[in-house]
Amino acid sequence: MSSTNIKPAPVAPASVPADGPAAAGSFKMFHRVLDWITSERMQLINITDRINEIVRKSGVRDGIVHLQSLHTTTAVFLNEWQDALVHDVKIFFEQTVAGEAYWRHNDPEHSDCERRNADSHLRGMMMGQTLSLQVRNSAVLLGTWQSIILAEFDGPRSRSMSVQVSGI
Amino acid sequence: MSSTNIKPAPVAPASVPADGPAAAGSFKMFHRVLDWITSERMQLINITDRINEIVRKSGVRDGIVHLQSLHTTTAVFLNEWQDALVHDVKIFFEQTVAGEAYWRHNDPEHSDCERRNADSHLRGMMMGQTLSLQVRNSAVLLGTWQSIILAEFDGPRSRSMSVQVSGI
Amino acid sequence: MSSTNIKPAPVAPASVPADGPAAAGSFKMFHRVLDWITSERMQLINITDRINEIVRKSGVRDGIVHLQSLHTTTAVFLNEWQDALVHDVKIFFEQTVAGEAYWRHNDPEHSDCERRNADSHLRGMMMGQTLSLQVRNSAVLLGTWQSIILAEFDGPRSRSMSVQVSGI
């Protein structure tokens, strides 16, 4: 079948650091909490620069940065940061989880939640609240078009993300 | 555009541990396998307490707990654990991947799988079988409303999850 | 409710390594970049063997292998590798994100992207470009039916994935 029709690519893109041998060193761990106040019910925020700043401060050269948004009605993921696409992403979430459908979580007979935010929960769950990215040469490893995006699905709210950098 | 209209929040929620400096220490790793017998075709299970018990036993104070369900027709993710919302989550999975649609995996002409579980595979794939969460002060870091949920999409079955705790 | 009706399973499957005590050791980190040239617009590639080969070479016995595809219009995830199911997975992506719908990212009035690949971005975002898996006894820990799958959503292209193995 066609899905096995693969040839090795000749060279890696210039932006990718060269392969390195196994490195052993003293294991380090660094931790910060980032806070935001969001201003809309559904809102996307490009947090790439703030994450890179934490990684630079951490003193970790090679390892993992782990992001964990501490709220069920948020998400964190990668995508290109372009105005037109950011608009499409919001449309996609509205289409995939219909806010105006019947949800038991929004029904006072079944739920004591007054926010009527079942759609926010389902969007957050589908996309996930955690993201692990590699750290290489004291920076977050990202492809040319990859930005780190925080999604607010039930704003405006005060939001926190725990960021942990570990490695050598 | 509105998505850049962000102000820093004044304070972190009380439940979030304060920022800490970089810590270096002896790297530790701990491993357990958790087992379940599920009782329904689609079933959600709150596994937060069992994961926290493993983290406490691990002796790791700060690090990562990695969960990996070992079955393609399961998933693990975060959400609020509320009866009404758990019901909505099941409805969402049924709507997003239609079980009664035509799937080649269920067609004896194309597949030797007799479980007719294409929907289970697609739901498990969409949600993912792995989850990494931070460990802080010998506990899983979770926001107030975040519970760890195991989803069974093709039960009743015997299921296993590999849990790895690593850090300092 | 039924979702709490859980009994502990009597035994773990034979393929799962037995529980081990906490292990401490010298932390190691290993890094490789994998490259592919894809041949179709949407294409699934089973990369399990190539990832296992890297893990074997890494010298890491117990730890984590982290995969990060460096392109927003790709994804990496787990599923069974069966021809009929691979076909269904493609159908699922086409149904969940409609390529022929109106997307602002494809509209020259709003976007300078000439690839008309909004659907590719949304599929990549939904599935994610990163995956963490446990390493046990110098191999990737995978359930019997779990294969590691790279998804191309905007081929044919040259693609790279950064693979990091860390642990003891």
Side-chain angles (χ1 to χ4, degrees), chain B residues 12-165:
Chain B
S15 63
V16 178
D19 288 354
S26 174
F27 182 76
K28 277 179 282 193
M29 182 156 286
F30 184 83
H31 181 258
R32 280 288 178 276
V33 175
L34 284 181
D35 301 302
W36 289 273
I37 294 177
T38 58
S39 56
E40 294 172 80
R41 187 164 195 271
M42 193 192 299
Q43 185 175 353
L44 302 184
I45 304 167
N46 186 343
I47 63 172
T48 311
D49 290 347
R50 289 184 75 177
I51 301 304
N52 250 320
E53 192 188 332
I54 291 175
V55 168
R56 272 195 301 272
K57 281 184 184 164
S58 73
V60 171
R61 195 187 70 237
D62 291 295
I64 290 285
V65 54
H66 182 272
L67 314 181
Q68 186 176 341
S69 174
L70 298 171
H71 316 273
T72 50
T73 54
T74 63
V76 58
F77 49 80
L78 299 177
N79 209 342
E80 182 182 345
W81 187 257
Q82 184 222 33
D83 277 7
L85 187 61
V86 165
H87 178 267
D88 293 336
V89 168
K90 292 179 185 175
I91 299 293
F92 168 74
F93 290 137
E94 282 167 5
Q95 287 177 350
T96 307
V97 182
E100 66 285 2
Y102 173 83
W103 298 111
R104 208 175 266 192
H105 182 66
N106 299 343
D107 181 346
E109 282 202 34
H110 292 279
S111 172
D112 57 1
C113 174
E114 291 171 357
R115 296 192 64 91
R116 302 181 64 82
N117 62 355
D119 57 347
S120 319
H121 279 283
L122 296 171
R123 290 167 188 156
M125 177 192 80
M126 182 179 76
M127 296 304 298
Q129 285 122 49
T130 62
L131 183 65
S132 293
L133 298 166
Q134 293 174 33
V135 172
R136 295 272 294 155
N137 299 324
S138 305
V140 183
L141 180 67
L142 290 169
T144 310
W145 302 104
Q146 287 178 322
S147 288
I148 310 169
I149 299 175
L150 174 68
E152 166 68 81
F153 292 124
D154 192 32
R157 299 283 273 273
S158 171
R159 299 301 201 176
S160 296
M161 173 183 282
S162 184
V163 181
Q164 185 192 78
V165 194

Side-chain angles (χ1 to χ4, degrees), chain A residues 34 36 38 42-52 67-69 73-90 93 123-124 127-133 140 142 145-153 161, chain B residues 1 3-4 6, chain C residues 72 121-122 124-126 129:
Chain A
L34 284 181
W36 290 271
T38 58
M42 194 193 297
Q43 186 175 352
L44 303 183
I45 303 166
N46 185 343
I47 63 172
T48 311
D49 290 346
R50 288 184 77 177
I51 301 304
N52 250 320
L67 315 180
Q68 186 175 342
S69 175
T73 54
T74 62
V76 58
F77 49 81
L78 300 176
N79 209 341
E80 182 180 347
W81 187 257
Q82 185 223 33
D83 278 7
L85 186 60
V86 165
H87 177 268
D88 293 336
V89 168
K90 292 179 185 175
F93 290 137
R123 289 167 189 154
M127 296 304 298
Q129 286 124 47
T130 63
L131 184 64
S132 293
L133 298 166
V140 183
L142 290 170
W145 302 104
Q146 288 178 322
S147 288
I148 309 170
I149 299 176
L150 174 67
E152 167 67 83
F153 292 124
M161 174 183 280
Chain B
M1 58 183 296
S3 50
T4 60
I6 308 301
Chain C
T72 51
H121 279 283
L122 295 171
M125 179 192 77
M126 182 179 77
Q129 285 124 48

Side-chain angles (χ1 to χ4, degrees), chain A residues 1-3 23 82 134 141, chain C residues 29 40 44 68 83 105 162:
Chain A
M1 57 184 299
S2 59
S3 51
Q82 185 223 33
Q134 293 174 33
L141 180 67
Chain C
M29 181 156 287
E40 294 172 80
L44 303 184
Q68 186 174 342
D83 278 7
H105 182 67
S162 184

Side-chain angles (χ1 to χ4, degrees), chain C residues 11-27:
Chain C
V11 282
S15 62
V16 178
D19 288 352
S26 174
F27 182 76

